[in-house]
Amino acid sequence: MSVWQLVAVGLVMLLGLIGVLVPGVPGQAIIWAAVLWWALTDMTPAAWGVLIGATALLLLNQALKPLLPPRRPRESGAPRRTLMLGGIGAITGFFVIPVVGAVAGYVGVIYGAERLRLGSRGAGWASVRSVMRATGYSVLVELFACLLVAGAWLGAVVWG
């Protein structure tokens, strides 16, 4: 696979990660399609292993989705900008501090944005709790699964 095709697959995955944050956009399907495209073009055992793992993980995530609270972003009281910043913080945190950085980035950025918006530490934490109850858990689980797939792809490309 050429470098330009790898860049294109990476950009499609980034689009899928952002799609997880936007309601109504099938971010998981976009990421899975990017892995499928890469595996069909690359045809190595590592590529097929990542595709099989991605398929299993994303199917498990879909099966567990009904057990999580539904997304209700309007009930959180936080603006959409805060939720998007939290998602970007999770994506950045995942690659800065592998795996656990996603949770820290998501919660930390939401707290920072809400503290700046509301002006006090207590109000910032109250808003974080409200956001996590309304949207956070379902978004975080879906985003985390997609980040694991993207990380596995990146690892296979770099070390494979």
Side-chain angles (χ1 to χ4, degrees), residues 44-82:
T44 62
W48 288 102
V50 170
L51 177 63
I52 291 168
T55 302
L57 181 64
L58 295 177
L59 284 175
L60 178 66
N61 187 32
Q62 287 289 30
L64 295 177
K65 194 182 276 192
L67 301 175
L68 297 170
R71 290 185 188 184
R72 296 179 305 263
R74 296 194 192 276
E75 291 180 17
S76 71
R80 285 185 187 258
R81 180 175 161 263
T82 298

PDB file of all heavy atoms in Angstrom, residues 44-82:
ATOM      1  N   THR A  44      -1.855  -8.608   4.402  1.00  0.00           N
ATOM      2  CA  THR A  44      -0.867  -9.249   5.273  1.00  0.00           C
ATOM      3  C   THR A  44      -1.594  -9.876   6.450  1.00  0.00           C
ATOM      4  O   THR A  44      -2.738  -9.502   6.752  1.00  0.00           O
ATOM      5  CB  THR A  44       0.158  -8.228   5.801  1.00  0.00           C
ATOM      6  OG1 THR A  44      -0.527  -7.242   6.580  1.00  0.00           O
ATOM      7  CG2 THR A  44       0.912  -7.551   4.660  1.00  0.00           C
ATOM      8  N   PRO A  45      -0.964 -10.821   7.134  1.00  0.00           N
ATOM      9  CA  PRO A  45      -1.613 -11.401   8.319  1.00  0.00           C
ATOM     10  C   PRO A  45      -1.916 -10.354   9.396  1.00  0.00           C
ATOM     11  O   PRO A  45      -2.948 -10.443  10.071  1.00  0.00           O
ATOM     12  CB  PRO A  45      -0.589 -12.417   8.814  1.00  0.00           C
ATOM     13  CG  PRO A  45       0.210 -12.784   7.618  1.00  0.00           C
ATOM     14  CD  PRO A  45       0.262 -11.541   6.781  1.00  0.00           C
ATOM     15  N   ALA A  46      -1.044  -9.366   9.540  1.00  0.00           N
ATOM     16  CA  ALA A  46      -1.301  -8.312  10.532  1.00  0.00           C
ATOM     17  C   ALA A  46      -2.549  -7.512  10.159  1.00  0.00           C
ATOM     18  O   ALA A  46      -3.359  -7.171  11.031  1.00  0.00           O
ATOM     19  CB  ALA A  46      -0.096  -7.384  10.635  1.00  0.00           C
ATOM     20  N   ALA A  47      -2.716  -7.223   8.881  1.00  0.00           N
ATOM     21  CA  ALA A  47      -3.886  -6.468   8.434  1.00  0.00           C
ATOM     22  C   ALA A  47      -5.169  -7.253   8.696  1.00  0.00           C
ATOM     23  O   ALA A  47      -6.166  -6.700   9.168  1.00  0.00           O
ATOM     24  CB  ALA A  47      -3.762  -6.129   6.951  1.00  0.00           C
ATOM     25  N   TRP A  48      -5.138  -8.543   8.402  1.00  0.00           N
ATOM     26  CA  TRP A  48      -6.328  -9.360   8.641  1.00  0.00           C
ATOM     27  C   TRP A  48      -6.594  -9.525  10.127  1.00  0.00           C
ATOM     28  O   TRP A  48      -7.749  -9.564  10.562  1.00  0.00           O
ATOM     29  CB  TRP A  48      -6.202 -10.716   7.937  1.00  0.00           C
ATOM     30  CG  TRP A  48      -6.345 -10.549   6.469  1.00  0.00           C
ATOM     31  CD1 TRP A  48      -5.345 -10.541   5.545  1.00  0.00           C
ATOM     32  CD2 TRP A  48      -7.556 -10.302   5.755  1.00  0.00           C
ATOM     33  NE1 TRP A  48      -5.855 -10.309   4.290  1.00  0.00           N
ATOM     34  CE2 TRP A  48      -7.220 -10.159   4.389  1.00  0.00           C
ATOM     35  CE3 TRP A  48      -8.883 -10.175   6.122  1.00  0.00           C
ATOM     36  CZ2 TRP A  48      -8.153  -9.906   3.402  1.00  0.00           C
ATOM     37  CZ3 TRP A  48      -9.817  -9.923   5.129  1.00  0.00           C
ATOM     38  CH2 TRP A  48      -9.454  -9.796   3.799  1.00  0.00           C
ATOM     39  N   GLY A  49      -5.528  -9.602  10.924  1.00  0.00           N
ATOM     40  CA  GLY A  49      -5.707  -9.682  12.376  1.00  0.00           C
ATOM     41  C   GLY A  49      -6.354  -8.431  12.938  1.00  0.00           C
ATOM     42  O   GLY A  49      -7.242  -8.498  13.796  1.00  0.00           O
ATOM     43  N   VAL A  50      -5.910  -7.264  12.445  1.00  0.00           N
ATOM     44  CA  VAL A  50      -6.519  -6.008  12.891  1.00  0.00           C
ATOM     45  C   VAL A  50      -7.972  -5.938  12.450  1.00  0.00           C
ATOM     46  O   VAL A  50      -8.846  -5.503  13.208  1.00  0.00           O
ATOM     47  CB  VAL A  50      -5.704  -4.800  12.374  1.00  0.00           C
ATOM     48  CG1 VAL A  50      -6.442  -3.494  12.619  1.00  0.00           C
ATOM     49  CG2 VAL A  50      -4.334  -4.756  13.018  1.00  0.00           C
ATOM     50  N   LEU A  51      -8.268  -6.380  11.230  1.00  0.00           N
ATOM     51  CA  LEU A  51      -9.650  -6.368  10.747  1.00  0.00           C
ATOM     52  C   LEU A  51     -10.541  -7.282  11.595  1.00  0.00           C
ATOM     53  O   LEU A  51     -11.649  -6.883  11.976  1.00  0.00           O
ATOM     54  CB  LEU A  51      -9.719  -6.788   9.283  1.00  0.00           C
ATOM     55  CG  LEU A  51     -11.128  -6.872   8.679  1.00  0.00           C
ATOM     56  CD1 LEU A  51     -11.791  -5.496   8.682  1.00  0.00           C
ATOM     57  CD2 LEU A  51     -11.081  -7.443   7.283  1.00  0.00           C
ATOM     58  N   ILE A  52     -10.056  -8.468  11.913  1.00  0.00           N
ATOM     59  CA  ILE A  52     -10.843  -9.397  12.736  1.00  0.00           C
ATOM     60  C   ILE A  52     -11.047  -8.826  14.137  1.00  0.00           C
ATOM     61  O   ILE A  52     -12.159  -8.844  14.680  1.00  0.00           O
ATOM     62  CB  ILE A  52     -10.168 -10.777  12.777  1.00  0.00           C
ATOM     63  CG1 ILE A  52     -10.255 -11.433  11.395  1.00  0.00           C
ATOM     64  CG2 ILE A  52     -10.791 -11.667  13.844  1.00  0.00           C
ATOM     65  CD1 ILE A  52      -9.372 -12.651  11.241  1.00  0.00           C
ATOM     66  N   GLY A  53      -9.985  -8.286  14.722  1.00  0.00           N
ATOM     67  CA  GLY A  53     -10.106  -7.681  16.049  1.00  0.00           C
ATOM     68  C   GLY A  53     -11.033  -6.477  16.056  1.00  0.00           C
ATOM     69  O   GLY A  53     -11.841  -6.302  16.972  1.00  0.00           O
ATOM     70  N   ALA A  54     -10.932  -5.640  15.022  1.00  0.00           N
ATOM     71  CA  ALA A  54     -11.793  -4.465  14.926  1.00  0.00           C
ATOM     72  C   ALA A  54     -13.257  -4.871  14.780  1.00  0.00           C
ATOM     73  O   ALA A  54     -14.145  -4.291  15.409  1.00  0.00           O
ATOM     74  CB  ALA A  54     -11.372  -3.596  13.741  1.00  0.00           C
ATOM     75  N   THR A  55     -13.489  -5.886  13.964  1.00  0.00           N
ATOM     76  CA  THR A  55     -14.862  -6.364  13.778  1.00  0.00           C
ATOM     77  C   THR A  55     -15.438  -6.880  15.090  1.00  0.00           C
ATOM     78  O   THR A  55     -16.562  -6.535  15.465  1.00  0.00           O
ATOM     79  CB  THR A  55     -14.897  -7.469  12.705  1.00  0.00           C
ATOM     80  OG1 THR A  55     -14.357  -6.944  11.483  1.00  0.00           O
ATOM     81  CG2 THR A  55     -16.307  -7.950  12.461  1.00  0.00           C
ATOM     82  N   ALA A  56     -14.660  -7.684  15.806  1.00  0.00           N
ATOM     83  CA  ALA A  56     -15.138  -8.234  17.081  1.00  0.00           C
ATOM     84  C   ALA A  56     -15.394  -7.127  18.105  1.00  0.00           C
ATOM     85  O   ALA A  56     -16.436  -7.118  18.783  1.00  0.00           O
ATOM     86  CB  ALA A  56     -14.128  -9.243  17.619  1.00  0.00           C
ATOM     87  N   LEU A  57     -14.461  -6.183  18.217  1.00  0.00           N
ATOM     88  CA  LEU A  57     -14.604  -5.111  19.200  1.00  0.00           C
ATOM     89  C   LEU A  57     -15.790  -4.205  18.887  1.00  0.00           C
ATOM     90  O   LEU A  57     -16.574  -3.868  19.785  1.00  0.00           O
ATOM     91  CB  LEU A  57     -13.316  -4.287  19.257  1.00  0.00           C
ATOM     92  CG  LEU A  57     -13.305  -3.139  20.258  1.00  0.00           C
ATOM     93  CD1 LEU A  57     -13.418  -3.666  21.688  1.00  0.00           C
ATOM     94  CD2 LEU A  57     -12.052  -2.317  20.093  1.00  0.00           C
ATOM     95  N   LEU A  58     -15.956  -3.840  17.631  1.00  0.00           N
ATOM     96  CA  LEU A  58     -17.062  -2.946  17.275  1.00  0.00           C
ATOM     97  C   LEU A  58     -18.418  -3.649  17.365  1.00  0.00           C
ATOM     98  O   LEU A  58     -19.421  -3.022  17.713  1.00  0.00           O
ATOM     99  CB  LEU A  58     -16.825  -2.334  15.901  1.00  0.00           C
ATOM    100  CG  LEU A  58     -15.598  -1.407  15.814  1.00  0.00           C
ATOM    101  CD1 LEU A  58     -15.400  -0.902  14.398  1.00  0.00           C
ATOM    102  CD2 LEU A  58     -15.704  -0.260  16.791  1.00  0.00           C
ATOM    103  N   LEU A  59     -18.452  -4.948  17.074  1.00  0.00           N
ATOM    104  CA  LEU A  59     -19.704  -5.697  17.269  1.00  0.00           C
ATOM    105  C   LEU A  59     -20.046  -5.815  18.750  1.00  0.00           C
ATOM    106  O   LEU A  59     -21.215  -5.698  19.144  1.00  0.00           O
ATOM    107  CB  LEU A  59     -19.611  -7.077  16.625  1.00  0.00           C
ATOM    108  CG  LEU A  59     -19.740  -7.115  15.102  1.00  0.00           C
ATOM    109  CD1 LEU A  59     -19.503  -8.536  14.588  1.00  0.00           C
ATOM    110  CD2 LEU A  59     -21.089  -6.597  14.649  1.00  0.00           C
ATOM    111  N   LEU A  60     -19.036  -6.050  19.585  1.00  0.00           N
ATOM    112  CA  LEU A  60     -19.263  -6.092  21.037  1.00  0.00           C
ATOM    113  C   LEU A  60     -19.766  -4.744  21.535  1.00  0.00           C
ATOM    114  O   LEU A  60     -20.691  -4.674  22.358  1.00  0.00           O
ATOM    115  CB  LEU A  60     -17.977  -6.488  21.754  1.00  0.00           C
ATOM    116  CG  LEU A  60     -18.039  -6.518  23.272  1.00  0.00           C
ATOM    117  CD1 LEU A  60     -18.981  -7.624  23.746  1.00  0.00           C
ATOM    118  CD2 LEU A  60     -16.653  -6.708  23.852  1.00  0.00           C
ATOM    119  N   ASN A  61     -19.181  -3.674  21.026  1.00  0.00           N
ATOM    120  CA  ASN A  61     -19.627  -2.340  21.408  1.00  0.00           C
ATOM    121  C   ASN A  61     -21.084  -2.113  21.012  1.00  0.00           C
ATOM    122  O   ASN A  61     -21.866  -1.553  21.780  1.00  0.00           O
ATOM    123  CB  ASN A  61     -18.722  -1.287  20.765  1.00  0.00           C
ATOM    124  CG  ASN A  61     -19.022   0.099  21.265  1.00  0.00           C
ATOM    125  OD1 ASN A  61     -19.419   0.288  22.406  1.00  0.00           O
ATOM    126  ND2 ASN A  61     -18.826   1.077  20.414  1.00  0.00           N
ATOM    127  N   GLN A  62     -21.464  -2.551  19.825  1.00  0.00           N
ATOM    128  CA  GLN A  62     -22.863  -2.414  19.389  1.00  0.00           C
ATOM    129  C   GLN A  62     -23.797  -3.238  20.256  1.00  0.00           C
ATOM    130  O   GLN A  62     -24.919  -2.836  20.530  1.00  0.00           O
ATOM    131  CB  GLN A  62     -23.015  -2.822  17.921  1.00  0.00           C
ATOM    132  CG  GLN A  62     -22.451  -1.828  16.955  1.00  0.00           C
ATOM    133  CD  GLN A  62     -23.257  -0.555  16.866  1.00  0.00           C
ATOM    134  OE1 GLN A  62     -23.902  -0.121  17.814  1.00  0.00           O
ATOM    135  NE2 GLN A  62     -23.218   0.066  15.727  1.00  0.00           N
ATOM    136  N   ALA A  63     -23.346  -4.417  20.674  1.00  0.00           N
ATOM    137  CA  ALA A  63     -24.189  -5.266  21.511  1.00  0.00           C
ATOM    138  C   ALA A  63     -24.375  -4.668  22.906  1.00  0.00           C
ATOM    139  O   ALA A  63     -25.433  -4.824  23.517  1.00  0.00           O
ATOM    140  CB  ALA A  63     -23.580  -6.665  21.619  1.00  0.00           C
ATOM    141  N   LEU A  64     -23.356  -3.976  23.407  1.00  0.00           N
ATOM    142  CA  LEU A  64     -23.442  -3.396  24.748  1.00  0.00           C
ATOM    143  C   LEU A  64     -24.083  -2.011  24.767  1.00  0.00           C
ATOM    144  O   LEU A  64     -24.432  -1.513  25.834  1.00  0.00           O
ATOM    145  CB  LEU A  64     -22.051  -3.321  25.369  1.00  0.00           C
ATOM    146  CG  LEU A  64     -21.363  -4.656  25.636  1.00  0.00           C
ATOM    147  CD1 LEU A  64     -19.965  -4.432  26.183  1.00  0.00           C
ATOM    148  CD2 LEU A  64     -22.186  -5.501  26.591  1.00  0.00           C
ATOM    149  N   LYS A  65     -24.241  -1.403  23.620  1.00  0.00           N
ATOM    150  CA  LYS A  65     -24.780  -0.042  23.546  1.00  0.00           C
ATOM    151  C   LYS A  65     -26.158   0.113  24.202  1.00  0.00           C
ATOM    152  O   LYS A  65     -26.407   1.116  24.875  1.00  0.00           O
ATOM    153  CB  LYS A  65     -24.831   0.423  22.098  1.00  0.00           C
ATOM    154  CG  LYS A  65     -25.054   1.917  21.973  1.00  0.00           C
ATOM    155  CD  LYS A  65     -25.154   2.342  20.534  1.00  0.00           C
ATOM    156  CE  LYS A  65     -23.769   2.550  19.987  1.00  0.00           C
ATOM    157  NZ  LYS A  65     -23.773   3.221  18.680  1.00  0.00           N
ATOM    158  N   PRO A  66     -27.078  -0.867  24.072  1.00  0.00           N
ATOM    159  CA  PRO A  66     -28.381  -0.692  24.733  1.00  0.00           C
ATOM    160  C   PRO A  66     -28.298  -0.686  26.263  1.00  0.00           C
ATOM    161  O   PRO A  66     -29.211  -0.207  26.929  1.00  0.00           O
ATOM    162  CB  PRO A  66     -29.192  -1.894  24.257  1.00  0.00           C
ATOM    163  CG  PRO A  66     -28.542  -2.331  22.999  1.00  0.00           C
ATOM    164  CD  PRO A  66     -27.094  -2.001  23.150  1.00  0.00           C
ATOM    165  N   LEU A  67     -27.215  -1.185  26.830  1.00  0.00           N
ATOM    166  CA  LEU A  67     -27.062  -1.193  28.277  1.00  0.00           C
ATOM    167  C   LEU A  67     -26.608   0.153  28.830  1.00  0.00           C
ATOM    168  O   LEU A  67     -26.697   0.391  30.030  1.00  0.00           O
ATOM    169  CB  LEU A  67     -26.065  -2.273  28.704  1.00  0.00           C
ATOM    170  CG  LEU A  67     -26.421  -3.697  28.288  1.00  0.00           C
ATOM    171  CD1 LEU A  67     -25.303  -4.649  28.669  1.00  0.00           C
ATOM    172  CD2 LEU A  67     -27.740  -4.125  28.906  1.00  0.00           C
ATOM    173  N   LEU A  68     -26.118   1.024  27.968  1.00  0.00           N
ATOM    174  CA  LEU A  68     -25.645   2.340  28.385  1.00  0.00           C
ATOM    175  C   LEU A  68     -26.788   3.348  28.327  1.00  0.00           C
ATOM    176  O   LEU A  68     -27.733   3.178  27.567  1.00  0.00           O
ATOM    177  CB  LEU A  68     -24.509   2.793  27.472  1.00  0.00           C
ATOM    178  CG  LEU A  68     -23.256   1.927  27.503  1.00  0.00           C
ATOM    179  CD1 LEU A  68     -22.313   2.345  26.392  1.00  0.00           C
ATOM    180  CD2 LEU A  68     -22.582   2.037  28.846  1.00  0.00           C
ATOM    181  N   PRO A  69     -26.678   4.423  29.121  1.00  0.00           N
ATOM    182  CA  PRO A  69     -27.723   5.446  29.035  1.00  0.00           C
ATOM    183  C   PRO A  69     -27.722   6.092  27.651  1.00  0.00           C
ATOM    184  O   PRO A  69     -26.663   6.265  27.050  1.00  0.00           O
ATOM    185  CB  PRO A  69     -27.333   6.464  30.113  1.00  0.00           C
ATOM    186  CG  PRO A  69     -25.981   6.110  30.578  1.00  0.00           C
ATOM    187  CD  PRO A  69     -25.662   4.739  30.104  1.00  0.00           C
ATOM    188  N   PRO A  70     -28.903   6.436  27.139  1.00  0.00           N
ATOM    189  CA  PRO A  70     -28.966   7.045  25.799  1.00  0.00           C
ATOM    190  C   PRO A  70     -28.340   8.440  25.805  1.00  0.00           C
ATOM    191  O   PRO A  70     -28.262   9.097  26.843  1.00  0.00           O
ATOM    192  CB  PRO A  70     -30.460   7.113  25.512  1.00  0.00           C
ATOM    193  CG  PRO A  70     -31.101   7.122  26.848  1.00  0.00           C
ATOM    194  CD  PRO A  70     -30.215   6.325  27.757  1.00  0.00           C
ATOM    195  N   ARG A  71     -27.930   8.876  24.624  1.00  0.00           N
ATOM    196  CA  ARG A  71     -27.371  10.216  24.496  1.00  0.00           C
ATOM    197  C   ARG A  71     -28.488  11.246  24.552  1.00  0.00           C
ATOM    198  O   ARG A  71     -29.439  11.185  23.788  1.00  0.00           O
ATOM    199  CB  ARG A  71     -26.658  10.367  23.155  1.00  0.00           C
ATOM    200  CG  ARG A  71     -25.413   9.588  23.032  1.00  0.00           C
ATOM    201  CD  ARG A  71     -24.762   9.945  21.713  1.00  0.00           C
ATOM    202  NE  ARG A  71     -23.638   9.089  21.434  1.00  0.00           N
ATOM    203  CZ  ARG A  71     -22.851   9.238  20.395  1.00  0.00           C
ATOM    204  NH1 ARG A  71     -23.076  10.192  19.533  1.00  0.00           N
ATOM    205  NH2 ARG A  71     -21.847   8.432  20.211  1.00  0.00           N
ATOM    206  N   ARG A  72     -28.351  12.178  25.454  1.00  0.00           N
ATOM    207  CA  ARG A  72     -29.296  13.286  25.552  1.00  0.00           C
ATOM    208  C   ARG A  72     -28.496  14.575  25.772  1.00  0.00           C
ATOM    209  O   ARG A  72     -28.468  15.105  26.885  1.00  0.00           O
ATOM    210  CB  ARG A  72     -30.267  13.052  26.698  1.00  0.00           C
ATOM    211  CG  ARG A  72     -31.153  11.842  26.513  1.00  0.00           C
ATOM    212  CD  ARG A  72     -32.077  11.665  27.693  1.00  0.00           C
ATOM    213  NE  ARG A  72     -31.382  11.603  28.960  1.00  0.00           N
ATOM    214  CZ  ARG A  72     -31.045  10.477  29.595  1.00  0.00           C
ATOM    215  NH1 ARG A  72     -31.368   9.325  29.084  1.00  0.00           N
ATOM    216  NH2 ARG A  72     -30.408  10.505  30.743  1.00  0.00           N
ATOM    217  N   PRO A  73     -27.837  15.068  24.733  1.00  0.00           N
ATOM    218  CA  PRO A  73     -26.942  16.217  24.926  1.00  0.00           C
ATOM    219  C   PRO A  73     -27.642  17.477  25.418  1.00  0.00           C
ATOM    220  O   PRO A  73     -27.064  18.257  26.155  1.00  0.00           O
ATOM    221  CB  PRO A  73     -26.313  16.437  23.552  1.00  0.00           C
ATOM    222  CG  PRO A  73     -27.085  15.635  22.594  1.00  0.00           C
ATOM    223  CD  PRO A  73     -27.840  14.599  23.367  1.00  0.00           C
ATOM    224  N   ARG A  74     -28.894  17.666  25.081  1.00  0.00           N
ATOM    225  CA  ARG A  74     -29.598  18.879  25.519  1.00  0.00           C
ATOM    226  C   ARG A  74     -29.863  18.863  27.025  1.00  0.00           C
ATOM    227  O   ARG A  74     -29.940  19.913  27.640  1.00  0.00           O
ATOM    228  CB  ARG A  74     -30.910  19.030  24.763  1.00  0.00           C
ATOM    229  CG  ARG A  74     -30.693  19.241  23.274  1.00  0.00           C
ATOM    230  CD  ARG A  74     -31.971  19.733  22.623  1.00  0.00           C
ATOM    231  NE  ARG A  74     -31.879  19.685  21.185  1.00  0.00           N
ATOM    232  CZ  ARG A  74     -31.336  20.628  20.447  1.00  0.00           C
ATOM    233  NH1 ARG A  74     -30.808  21.675  21.019  1.00  0.00           N
ATOM    234  NH2 ARG A  74     -31.302  20.513  19.136  1.00  0.00           N
ATOM    235  N   GLU A  75     -29.978  17.684  27.605  1.00  0.00           N
ATOM    236  CA  GLU A  75     -30.249  17.592  29.042  1.00  0.00           C
ATOM    237  C   GLU A  75     -29.032  17.885  29.899  1.00  0.00           C
ATOM    238  O   GLU A  75     -29.157  18.126  31.084  1.00  0.00           O
ATOM    239  CB  GLU A  75     -30.799  16.203  29.386  1.00  0.00           C
ATOM    240  CG  GLU A  75     -32.176  15.959  28.850  1.00  0.00           C
ATOM    241  CD  GLU A  75     -32.700  14.587  29.209  1.00  0.00           C
ATOM    242  OE1 GLU A  75     -32.139  13.956  30.120  1.00  0.00           O
ATOM    243  OE2 GLU A  75     -33.664  14.152  28.577  1.00  0.00           O
ATOM    244  N   SER A  76     -27.854  17.879  29.316  1.00  0.00           N
ATOM    245  CA  SER A  76     -26.648  18.104  30.104  1.00  0.00           C
ATOM    246  C   SER A  76     -26.494  19.569  30.497  1.00  0.00           C
ATOM    247  O   SER A  76     -25.877  19.874  31.502  1.00  0.00           O
ATOM    248  CB  SER A  76     -25.408  17.646  29.336  1.00  0.00           C
ATOM    249  OG  SER A  76     -25.147  18.510  28.257  1.00  0.00           O
ATOM    250  N   GLY A  77     -27.035  20.467  29.703  1.00  0.00           N
ATOM    251  CA  GLY A  77     -26.904  21.882  29.988  1.00  0.00           C
ATOM    252  C   GLY A  77     -25.625  22.484  29.436  1.00  0.00           C
ATOM    253  O   GLY A  77     -25.439  23.697  29.470  1.00  0.00           O
ATOM    254  N   ALA A  78     -24.720  21.669  28.955  1.00  0.00           N
ATOM    255  CA  ALA A  78     -23.461  22.168  28.393  1.00  0.00           C
ATOM    256  C   ALA A  78     -23.641  22.441  26.903  1.00  0.00           C
ATOM    257  O   ALA A  78     -24.369  21.734  26.224  1.00  0.00           O
ATOM    258  CB  ALA A  78     -22.359  21.146  28.602  1.00  0.00           C
ATOM    259  N   PRO A  79     -22.967  23.456  26.390  1.00  0.00           N
ATOM    260  CA  PRO A  79     -23.066  23.721  24.952  1.00  0.00           C
ATOM    261  C   PRO A  79     -22.382  22.632  24.123  1.00  0.00           C
ATOM    262  O   PRO A  79     -21.510  21.916  24.615  1.00  0.00           O
ATOM    263  CB  PRO A  79     -22.353  25.067  24.782  1.00  0.00           C
ATOM    264  CG  PRO A  79     -21.546  25.263  25.999  1.00  0.00           C
ATOM    265  CD  PRO A  79     -22.153  24.439  27.080  1.00  0.00           C
ATOM    266  N   ARG A  80     -22.777  22.514  22.878  1.00  0.00           N
ATOM    267  CA  ARG A  80     -22.185  21.505  21.979  1.00  0.00           C
ATOM    268  C   ARG A  80     -20.677  21.693  21.851  1.00  0.00           C
ATOM    269  O   ARG A  80     -19.947  20.729  21.692  1.00  0.00           O
ATOM    270  CB  ARG A  80     -22.825  21.574  20.604  1.00  0.00           C
ATOM    271  CG  ARG A  80     -24.194  21.002  20.548  1.00  0.00           C
ATOM    272  CD  ARG A  80     -24.693  21.014  19.105  1.00  0.00           C
ATOM    273  NE  ARG A  80     -26.058  20.620  19.042  1.00  0.00           N
ATOM    274  CZ  ARG A  80     -26.459  19.418  18.669  1.00  0.00           C
ATOM    275  NH1 ARG A  80     -25.574  18.521  18.335  1.00  0.00           N
ATOM    276  NH2 ARG A  80     -27.735  19.123  18.632  1.00  0.00           N
ATOM    277  N   ARG A  81     -20.246  22.923  21.919  1.00  0.00           N
ATOM    278  CA  ARG A  81     -18.815  23.218  21.814  1.00  0.00           C
ATOM    279  C   ARG A  81     -18.038  22.485  22.912  1.00  0.00           C
ATOM    280  O   ARG A  81     -16.973  21.934  22.664  1.00  0.00           O
ATOM    281  CB  ARG A  81     -18.608  24.724  21.921  1.00  0.00           C
ATOM    282  CG  ARG A  81     -17.180  25.146  21.835  1.00  0.00           C
ATOM    283  CD  ARG A  81     -17.086  26.693  21.828  1.00  0.00           C
ATOM    284  NE  ARG A  81     -15.765  27.079  22.183  1.00  0.00           N
ATOM    285  CZ  ARG A  81     -15.380  27.445  23.404  1.00  0.00           C
ATOM    286  NH1 ARG A  81     -16.261  27.498  24.379  1.00  0.00           N
ATOM    287  NH2 ARG A  81     -14.139  27.793  23.640  1.00  0.00           N
ATOM    288  N   THR A  82     -18.580  22.455  24.113  1.00  0.00           N
ATOM    289  CA  THR A  82     -17.919  21.771  25.222  1.00  0.00           C
ATOM    290  C   THR A  82     -17.822  20.281  24.952  1.00  0.00           C
ATOM    291  O   THR A  82     -16.783  19.655  25.204  1.00  0.00           O
ATOM    292  CB  THR A  82     -18.693  22.025  26.534  1.00  0.00           C
ATOM    293  OG1 THR A  82     -18.690  23.421  26.805  1.00  0.00           O
ATOM    294  CG2 THR A  82     -18.071  21.285  27.689  1.00  0.00           C
TER     295      THR A  82
END
